Amino acid sequence: MRIRTQIVMVMNLDKCLGCHTCSITCKNVWASRPGAEYMWFNNVETRPGPGYPKRWEDQEKYKGGWVLKNGKLVLRSGGAISRLLNIFHNPHLPIIDDYYEPWSYNYEELANSEEKEHQPVARPYSLLDGKYIDAPKWGPNWNDDLAGGTFTASMDPNIEKLQKQIALEYEKTFMMYLPRLCNHCLNPACVAACPAGAIYKRHEDGIVLVDQESCRGWRFCITACPYKKVYFNWETKKSEKCTFCYPRIEAGLPTVCSETCVGRIRYLGPILYDADRILEVASTKDEKDLYEAQLSLFLNPFDPDVIAEARRQGISDAWINGAQRSPAYKMVVQWRIAFPLHPEYRTLPMIFYIPPLSPILDVNGKDLSPEEYIPFVDNMRIPLEYLASLFTAGDTKPIRMALLRLIAMRIHMRKITVGDVNENAYNKLMNEAGLEPSQLEEMHRLLSIAKYNERFVIPTANRNPEKHLDIHKGACGFEEIGEYNYKVAPKDLRIRNIR
């Protein structure tokens, strides 16, 4: 057993306002340089919809993530020979129109224009070549709040899978917000695909970074990432991505997107996992079993044997204690109400989502009675099949259980505060949910009124690694060398050299 630590983020989609504050603050801190105009390390998508870049979930087109081939885990984009043959032409990259062409406006025309018969206009021009362009036609969350529209909703690959179950009539439309950032995966395809070994996963906290000095701009990382969260800087000719605000994490502070989130939907905490089982779990044959297999990777931080082995392997008590207090461990492992995004990509993502509940009202706008909650879950306005397509590779059972537990939490707290709950219906719901009242009360506190230090449990980093944490050289991935490119950043590495 090789115990590793990972900082995990959980997002409660029920509380997301779609305000994009997280995106703007991340943009201002990390991606406001020339060449990074179109980069949104964090973006909020309206679902159903095509996402950003357009249809990033269409892996038949973009070839992202891993697949099982003859029982062996390989990159969907091909092996080393395939990358070598396409090293000067990568055919599976999103084009600039799938993002948007960075532009600005010729404001000098307004300020310096001579007197004319007609009022001057500030025309948009491309920041790529400086030429005038037509009005912008696409961008991040261009379909903001338009999930019910047949044009944008029909572009969602998840909708295409469920055409028989989902109708797009106006009265049956549904909508949710989906914030996205790099998943800092346990089995990162971007790391495995990089010919230069420039992308690496840090040993001490699991953050995946790009070494700007080693990057050669081949862009195979962009193809391999199924979430399309690696970007190419057209000014520096280097790849960049979300850094998970690692300077803040090292200091015990949350990421900027978490710190500034208006809805307080984000939670951060460490999880212990067994790195020796990553290949086994990622190679799970049935896609629908990947979610449960991923959960089996996580270790119980209260287990005396795990604690003893973690200490023996050099993991500090601060991280062990952090894993015991981690809100991520409670939501993901203990309560099982948070799920990874598209586990079928086999990257083992470390960003988890609590699925949203539809408005719990009947047709007359009245609160549903407790007797109606269980049938309501099976007939939600946001279909279980759609949520399962996003979070559990199509398996609706875990999603249904999570939603039942979220409803049980609400009913239990209503019983405590108001008391007008039918006892038989209450007991039936509690039995179906499978959690104790004390767990529901703890869940309620964490999801609604938790303090800052309860939402963000981040041990400070140890920047003095032992000898067994030496830097590994070369590319990474089970397909190539069967060993992760865990790497500890040199102490004198400046922030500007990491993206």
Side-chain angles (χ1 to χ4, degrees):
M1 181 166 59
R2 191 158 47 113
I3 300 179
R4 294 288 184 264
T5 54
Q6 172 82 38
I7 291 289
V8 173
M9 179 183 289
V10 176
M11 288 186 262
N12 184 359
L13 298 185
D14 246 345
K15 298 168 66 178
C16 182
L17 308 175
C19 65
H20 303 276
T21 303
C22 52
S23 300
I24 297 301
T25 51
C26 172
K27 180 76 171 173
N28 289 339
V29 172
W30 290 107
S32 58
R33 307 168 309 285
E37 292 88 352
Y38 78 103
M39 297 182 193
W40 294 87
F41 295 163
N42 182 106
N43 70 291
V44 182
E45 299 173 358
T46 296
R47 288 309 183 100
Y52 181 79
K54 288 180 187 175
R55 294 178 58 83
W56 59 268
E57 293 158 296
D58 185 356
Q59 303 311 330
E60 294 302 317
K61 175 182 179 181
Y62 290 128
K63 308 296 183 184
W66 302 84
V67 293
L68 279 180
K69 189 174 183 180
N70 299 323
K72 183 181 179 183
L73 196 66
V74 297
L75 290 172
R76 189 187 295 270
S77 58
I81 295 177
S82 174
R83 291 196 291 277
L84 180 62
L85 293 175
N86 292 305
I87 200 164
F88 295 111
H89 170 64
N90 188 341
H92 304 299
L93 287 172
I95 62 175
I96 195 64
D97 289 340
D98 293 325
Y99 300 99
Y100 62 90
E101 187 165 4
W103 81 88
S104 186
Y105 294 95
N106 186 6
Y107 295 111
E108 293 184 0
E109 181 71 19
L110 297 179
N112 302 326
S113 176
E114 299 177 356
E115 184 176 350
K116 297 180 179 180
E117 181 180 355
H118 301 287
Q119 184 170 332
V121 176
R123 296 176 60 188
Y125 68 91
S126 170
L127 293 175
L128 298 178
D129 57 18
K131 296 180 181 179
Y132 286 117
I133 62 174
D134 295 332
K137 297 181 177 63
W138 195 255
N141 208 28
W142 196 261
N143 61 315
D144 195 3
D145 295 340
L146 296 177
T150 56
F151 172 70
T152 55
S154 61
M155 295 170 66
D156 187 330
N158 299 285
I159 291 289
E160 290 180 356
K161 297 177 185 177
L162 306 172
Q163 283 290 358
K164 293 181 180 180
Q165 294 99 330
I166 294 180
L168 296 176
E169 292 91 348
Y170 176 77
E171 67 274 10
K172 296 181 181 179
T173 57
F174 62 93
M175 192 192 81
M176 56 181 279
Y177 295 115
L178 183 70
R180 291 205 308 116
L181 65 155
C182 170
N183 285 275
H184 298 274
C185 308
L186 296 185
N187 184 29
C190 60
V191 175
C194 179
I199 307 184
Y200 60 93
K201 185 172 181 66
R202 300 208 314 179
H203 172 281
E204 63 267 38
D205 50 25
I207 296 174
V208 177
L209 297 173
V210 182
D211 186 339
Q212 296 289 284
E213 293 181 354
S214 299
C215 180
R216 296 294 176 265
W218 297 119
R219 286 172 273 187
F220 291 113
C221 54
I222 299 175
T223 297
C225 175
Y227 306 99
K228 291 297 170 279
K229 276 301 173 181
V230 186
Y231 299 86
F232 181 71
N233 187 310
W234 53 268
E235 181 76 19
T236 65
K237 307 300 188 289
K238 307 281 188 179
S239 291
E240 299 185 17
K241 61 178 292 298
C242 161
T243 66
F244 216 63
C245 295
Y246 75 92
R248 293 176 58 89
I249 294 293
E250 290 174 3
L253 298 173
T255 61
V256 169
C257 60
S258 301
E259 180 84 69
T260 59
C261 176
V262 175
R264 306 201 328 166
I265 78 166
R266 301 182 187 230
Y267 302 81
L268 291 166
I271 280 182
L272 304 179
Y273 67 95
D274 183 3
D276 282 338
R277 295 191 58 239
I278 290 178
L279 176 58
E280 170 198 340
V281 168
S283 302
T284 299
K285 187 175 181 180
D286 190 340
E287 290 182 346
K288 291 187 177 182
D289 294 334
L290 281 165
Y291 162 65
E292 290 290 343
Q294 183 170 343
L295 289 187
S296 72
L297 267 179
F298 303 138
L299 302 173
N300 183 354
F302 300 97
D303 187 331
D305 293 335
V306 171
I307 294 173
E309 183 62 21
R311 287 171 176 164
R312 191 189 69 79
Q313 295 187 25
I315 296 175
S316 69
D317 286 344
W319 280 82
I320 295 172
N321 179 261
Q324 293 172 344
R325 297 185 297 111
S326 171
Y329 181 77
K330 294 174 183 176
M331 296 176 181
V332 174
V333 181
Q334 292 184 326
W335 303 333
R336 297 196 174 200
I337 58 172
F339 304 92
L341 183 61
H342 288 298
E344 68 270 21
Y345 298 159
R346 301 179 184 274
T347 60
L348 308 182
M350 289 291 102
I351 305 297
F352 291 80
Y353 297 86
I354 299 176
L357 284 167
S358 298
I360 307 179
L361 300 172
D362 67 11
V363 292
N364 297 316
K366 298 179 181 179
D367 287 339
L368 294 173
S369 66
E371 295 90 337
E372 297 174 289
Y373 275 111
I374 294 177
F376 169 79
V377 169
D378 296 319
N379 298 282
M380 288 179 59
R381 186 159 188 158
I382 302 178
L384 286 177
E385 292 81 7
Y386 184 78
L387 295 175
S389 178
L390 283 172
F391 303 124
T392 55
D395 186 3
T396 58
K397 293 179 182 178
I399 299 292
R400 183 181 185 276
M401 179 58 71
L403 296 177
L404 275 173
R405 288 177 172 178
L406 293 172
I407 291 177
M409 175 193 70
R410 295 187 180 189
I411 295 300
H412 177 70
M413 297 309 298
R414 183 181 183 95
K415 180 182 179 183
I416 293 175
T417 56
V418 180
D420 60 342
V421 174
N422 180 281
E423 194 67 28
N424 291 331
Y426 169 81
N427 292 333
K428 182 179 179 181
L429 181 58
M430 294 301 109
N431 290 334
E432 188 87 11
L435 290 180
E436 297 296 325
S438 59
Q439 292 176 298
L440 295 176
E441 291 167 22
E442 187 179 7
M443 185 191 301
H444 168 261
R445 176 176 178 81
L446 194 56
L447 295 181
S448 58
I449 58 174
K451 301 295 185 182
Y452 186 92
N453 61 354
E454 294 174 283
R455 292 188 293 128
F456 307 129
V457 178
I458 308 169
T460 54
N462 176 18
R463 306 308 296 168
N464 298 296
E466 302 295 335
K467 292 182 180 180
H468 69 280
L469 303 184
D470 288 343
I471 295 174
H472 295 285
K473 299 294 184 181
C476 161
F478 292 121
E479 175 199 19
E480 306 297 337
I481 56 178
E483 175 66 30
Y484 273 103
N485 190 17
Y486 282 105
K487 193 171 181 181
V488 178
K491 294 179 182 178
D492 60 347
L493 196 60
R494 299 294 183 260
I495 294 177
R496 62 180 175 80
N497 290 332
I498 294 292
R499 293 285 183 263

Coordinates of all heavy atoms in Angstrom, one line a residue, residues 369-378 400-401 403-405 407-409 411-412 415 421-437 440:
S369 N -45.8 17.1 0.5 CA -45.9 16.4 1.8 C -44.8 15.4 1.9 O -44.3 14.9 0.8 CB -47.2 15.8 2.0 OG -47.4 14.7 1.0
P370 N -44.4 14.9 3.1 CA -43.4 13.9 3.2 C -43.7 12.6 2.5 O -42.8 11.9 2.0 CB -43.3 13.7 4.7 CG -43.7 15.0 5.3 CD -44.8 15.5 4.4
E371 N -45.0 12.3 2.4 CA -45.4 11.1 1.7 C -45.0 11.1 0.2 O -44.9 10.1 -0.5 CB -46.9 10.8 1.8 CG -47.3 10.5 3.3 CD -47.7 11.8 4.0 OE1 -47.2 12.9 3.6 OE2 -48.4 11.7 5.0
E372 N -44.8 12.3 -0.3 CA -44.6 12.5 -1.8 C -43.1 12.6 -2.1 O -42.8 12.6 -3.3 CB -45.4 13.8 -2.3 CG -46.9 13.7 -2.1 CD -47.5 15.0 -2.5 OE1 -47.4 16.0 -1.7 OE2 -48.2 15.1 -3.5
Y373 N -42.3 12.7 -1.2 CA -40.9 13.0 -1.5 C -40.2 11.8 -2.2 O -39.4 12.0 -3.2 CB -40.1 13.3 -0.2 CG -40.2 14.8 0.2 CD1 -40.9 15.2 1.3 CD2 -39.6 15.7 -0.6 CE1 -41.0 16.5 1.6 CE2 -39.7 17.1 -0.3 CZ -40.4 17.5 0.8 OH -40.5 18.8 1.1
I374 N -40.4 10.6 -1.8 CA -39.8 9.5 -2.4 C -40.2 9.3 -3.8 O -39.4 9.2 -4.7 CB -40.0 8.2 -1.6 CG1 -39.3 8.3 -0.2 CG2 -39.5 6.9 -2.3 CD1 -39.5 7.1 0.7
P375 N -41.5 9.3 -4.2 CA -41.9 9.3 -5.6 C -41.4 10.5 -6.4 O -41.1 10.3 -7.6 CB -43.4 9.2 -5.6 CG -43.8 9.1 -4.2 CD -42.7 9.3 -3.3
F376 N -41.3 11.6 -5.7 CA -40.8 12.8 -6.4 C -39.4 12.6 -7.0 O -39.1 13.1 -8.1 CB -40.8 14.0 -5.4 CG -40.1 15.2 -5.9 CD1 -40.7 16.1 -6.9 CD2 -38.8 15.5 -5.5 CE1 -40.0 17.2 -7.4 CE2 -38.1 16.6 -6.0 CZ -38.8 17.5 -6.9
V377 N -38.5 12.0 -6.2 CA -37.1 11.8 -6.6 C -37.1 11.0 -8.0 O -36.2 11.2 -8.8 CB -36.3 11.0 -5.6 CG1 -35.0 10.6 -6.1 CG2 -36.1 11.9 -4.4
D378 N -38.0 10.1 -8.1 CA -38.0 9.3 -9.4 C -38.6 10.0 -10.6 O -38.5 9.5 -11.7 CB -38.8 8.0 -9.1 CG -38.1 7.1 -8.1 OD1 -36.9 7.0 -8.1 OD2 -38.9 6.5 -7.2
R400 N -29.9 8.6 -7.2 CA -31.2 8.5 -6.5 C -31.0 8.5 -5.0 O -31.6 9.2 -4.2 CB -31.9 7.3 -7.0 CG -33.3 7.2 -6.3 CD -34.0 5.9 -6.8 NE -35.4 5.9 -6.3 CZ -35.7 5.4 -5.1 NH1 -34.8 4.9 -4.3 NH2 -37.0 5.4 -4.8
M401 N -30.0 7.7 -4.5 CA -29.7 7.6 -3.1 C -29.2 9.0 -2.5 O -29.7 9.4 -1.5 CB -28.7 6.5 -2.8 CG -28.3 6.4 -1.4 SD -29.8 6.0 -0.3 CE -30.1 4.4 -0.8
L403 N -29.9 12.0 -3.7 CA -31.0 12.9 -3.6 C -32.0 12.6 -2.5 O -32.5 13.5 -1.8 CB -31.8 12.9 -5.0 CG -30.9 13.4 -6.2 CD1 -31.7 13.3 -7.5 CD2 -30.5 14.9 -6.0
L404 N -32.2 11.3 -2.3 CA -33.0 10.9 -1.1 C -32.4 11.4 0.2 O -33.1 11.8 1.1 CB -33.2 9.4 -1.1 CG -34.3 8.8 -2.0 CD1 -34.2 7.3 -2.0 CD2 -35.7 9.3 -1.5
R405 N -31.1 11.3 0.3 CA -30.4 11.7 1.5 C -30.5 13.2 1.7 O -30.7 13.7 2.8 CB -29.0 11.2 1.5 CG -28.9 9.7 1.7 CD -27.5 9.2 1.6 NE -27.5 7.8 2.0 CZ -26.4 7.0 2.0 NH1 -25.2 7.5 1.7 NH2 -26.5 5.7 2.4
I407 N -33.0 15.1 0.6 CA -34.4 15.3 1.0 C -34.6 14.9 2.4 O -35.2 15.6 3.2 CB -35.3 14.6 0.1 CG1 -35.3 15.2 -1.3 CG2 -36.8 14.6 0.6 CD1 -36.2 14.5 -2.4
A408 N -34.0 13.8 2.8 CA -34.2 13.3 4.2 C -33.6 14.3 5.2 O -34.1 14.6 6.3 CB -33.5 12.0 4.4
M409 N -32.5 15.0 4.8 CA -31.9 16.0 5.6 C -32.8 17.2 5.8 O -33.0 17.7 6.9 CB -30.6 16.5 5.0 CG -29.9 17.7 5.7 SD -28.6 18.5 4.7 CE -29.6 19.3 3.4
I411 N -36.2 17.1 5.6 CA -37.3 16.7 6.3 C -37.0 16.5 7.8 O -37.7 16.9 8.7 CB -37.9 15.4 5.8 CG1 -38.5 15.6 4.4 CG2 -39.0 14.9 6.7 CD1 -39.6 16.7 4.3
H412 N -35.8 16.0 8.1 CA -35.4 15.8 9.4 C -35.2 17.2 10.1 O -35.7 17.3 11.3 CB -34.0 15.1 9.5 CG -33.5 14.9 10.9 ND1 -34.1 14.1 11.8 CD2 -32.4 15.5 11.5 CE1 -33.4 14.2 13.0 NE2 -32.4 15.0 12.8
K415 N -38.6 18.6 10.9 CA -39.2 17.9 12.1 C -38.7 18.6 13.3 O -39.4 18.8 14.3 CB -38.9 16.4 12.0 CG -39.4 15.7 13.2 CD -39.1 14.2 13.2 CE -39.7 13.5 14.4 NZ -39.3 12.1 14.5
V421 N -44.5 17.0 10.7 CA -44.0 15.9 9.8 C -44.7 14.7 10.3 O -44.8 14.3 11.4 CB -42.5 15.7 9.9 CG1 -42.1 14.5 9.1 CG2 -41.8 17.0 9.4
N422 N -45.3 14.0 9.3 CA -46.0 12.7 9.6 C -44.9 11.7 10.0 O -44.0 11.4 9.3 CB -46.7 12.2 8.3 CG -47.4 10.9 8.5 OD1 -46.8 9.9 8.5 ND2 -48.7 11.0 8.7
E423 N -45.2 11.0 11.1 CA -44.2 10.2 11.7 C -43.9 8.9 10.9 O -42.8 8.5 10.6 CB -44.6 9.7 13.1 CG -43.5 9.1 13.9 CD -42.4 10.1 14.3 OE1 -42.7 11.3 14.4 OE2 -41.2 9.7 14.5
N424 N -45.0 8.3 10.3 CA -44.8 7.1 9.5 C -44.0 7.5 8.2 O -43.2 6.7 7.8 CB -46.2 6.5 9.2 CG -46.8 5.9 10.4 OD1 -46.1 5.5 11.3 ND2 -48.1 5.9 10.4
A425 N -44.4 8.6 7.6 CA -43.7 9.0 6.3 C -42.3 9.3 6.6 O -41.4 9.0 5.8 CB -44.4 10.2 5.7
Y426 N -42.0 10.0 7.8 CA -40.7 10.3 8.2 C -39.8 9.1 8.4 O -38.7 9.0 7.9 CB -40.7 11.1 9.5 CG -39.4 11.3 10.2 CD1 -38.5 12.3 9.7 CD2 -39.0 10.5 11.2 CE1 -37.3 12.5 10.3 CE2 -37.8 10.7 11.9 CZ -36.9 11.7 11.4 OH -35.7 11.9 12.0
N427 N -40.3 8.1 9.1 CA -39.6 6.8 9.3 C -39.3 6.1 8.0 O -38.2 5.5 7.8 CB -40.4 5.9 10.2 CG -40.4 6.5 11.7 OD1 -39.5 7.2 12.1 ND2 -41.5 6.1 12.4
K428 N -40.3 6.1 7.1 CA -40.1 5.5 5.8 C -39.0 6.2 5.0 O -38.1 5.5 4.4 CB -41.4 5.5 5.0 CG -41.3 4.8 3.6 CD -42.6 4.9 2.9 CE -42.5 4.2 1.5 NZ -43.8 4.2 0.8
L429 N -38.9 7.5 5.0 CA -37.9 8.2 4.3 C -36.5 8.0 5.0 O -35.5 7.9 4.3 CB -38.3 9.7 4.3 CG -37.3 10.7 3.6 CD1 -37.1 10.3 2.1 CD2 -37.8 12.1 3.7
M430 N -36.5 8.0 6.3 CA -35.2 7.7 7.0 C -34.6 6.4 6.6 O -33.4 6.2 6.4 CB -35.4 7.9 8.5 CG -35.7 9.3 9.0 SD -34.5 10.5 8.5 CE -35.4 11.5 7.3
N431 N -35.5 5.4 6.6 CA -35.1 4.0 6.3 C -34.6 3.9 4.8 O -33.6 3.3 4.6 CB -36.2 3.0 6.5 CG -36.6 2.8 7.9 OD1 -35.7 3.0 8.8 ND2 -37.8 2.4 8.2
E432 N -35.2 4.7 4.0 CA -34.8 4.7 2.6 C -33.5 5.4 2.4 O -32.6 4.9 1.6 CB -35.9 5.4 1.7 CG -35.7 5.3 0.2 CD -36.3 4.0 -0.4 OE1 -37.1 3.3 0.3 OE2 -36.0 3.7 -1.5
A433 N -33.3 6.4 3.1 CA -32.0 7.2 3.0 C -30.9 6.5 3.6 O -29.7 6.6 3.1 CB -32.2 8.6 3.6
G434 N -31.0 5.8 4.7 CA -30.0 5.0 5.2 C -28.9 5.7 6.0 O -27.8 5.2 6.2
L435 N -29.3 6.9 6.6 CA -28.4 7.7 7.4 C -29.0 7.9 8.8 O -30.2 8.0 8.9 CB -28.0 9.0 6.8 CG -27.1 9.0 5.5 CD1 -26.9 10.4 5.0 CD2 -25.8 8.3 5.8
E436 N -28.2 8.0 9.8 CA -28.6 8.3 11.1 C -29.0 9.8 11.3 O -28.4 10.6 10.6 CB -27.6 7.9 12.2 CG -27.2 6.5 12.2 CD -28.4 5.6 12.6 OE1 -29.2 6.1 13.5 OE2 -28.5 4.5 12.1
P437 N -29.9 10.1 12.2 CA -30.3 11.5 12.4 C -29.0 12.4 12.7 O -29.0 13.5 12.3 CB -31.2 11.5 13.6 CG -31.9 10.1 13.5 CD -30.8 9.2 13.0
L440 N -27.4 13.3 9.5 CA -28.2 14.3 8.8 C -28.0 15.7 9.3 O -28.0 16.7 8.6 CB -29.7 13.9 8.8 CG -30.0 12.6 8.0 CD1 -31.5 12.3 8.2 CD2 -29.7 12.7 6.6

